[in-house]
Amino acid sequence: ATLLRQRPGQVTILIGRELGKPELDKTSLAVARYQVNGQDAGALAVLGPVRMDYPRVTAVLRYVSQQVGQTLTVLMRDE
């Protein structure tokens, strides 16, 4: 539910027990949603160890989600 309320361009990180599954206690999930033509269209995610480089993952996800949204918006206009 947390991930569905997320705004595009924002990165949400869930760590260990926050994921709600005991088998994922030693992992983290970082998720960024993106828009196409101003509409929520999808999400990109990184699943990794609890000790991953959060600042880097956040920056990369934010950048890539923006690029995906912009590229898909341009491609949709060209059709």
Side-chain angles (χ1 to χ4, degrees):
T2 300
L3 300 176
L4 295 177
R5 291 190 304 263
Q6 173 184 357
R7 292 181 313 189
Q10 176 183 354
V11 177
T12 299
I13 298 175
L14 301 174
I15 301 170
R17 292 187 179 141
E18 294 175 353
L19 291 166
K21 299 282 184 186
E23 54 273 10
L24 297 175
D25 281 355
K26 294 181 181 179
T27 63
S28 295
L29 180 68
V31 180
R33 301 188 68 75
Y34 61 88
Q35 293 182 329
V36 175
N37 290 322
Q39 300 293 318
D40 193 27
L44 300 172
V46 173
L47 181 66
V50 170
R51 291 182 166 211
M52 71 174 148
D53 185 349
Y54 294 102
R56 182 173 179 160
V57 168
T58 299
V60 168
L61 268 177
R62 187 174 292 125
Y63 175 77
V64 173
S65 67
Q66 290 171 349
Q67 293 302 307
V68 167
Q70 289 174 4
T71 300
L72 291 175
T73 296
V74 168
L75 290 173
M76 296 295 286
R77 278 191 215 138
D78 291 344
E79 287 187 351

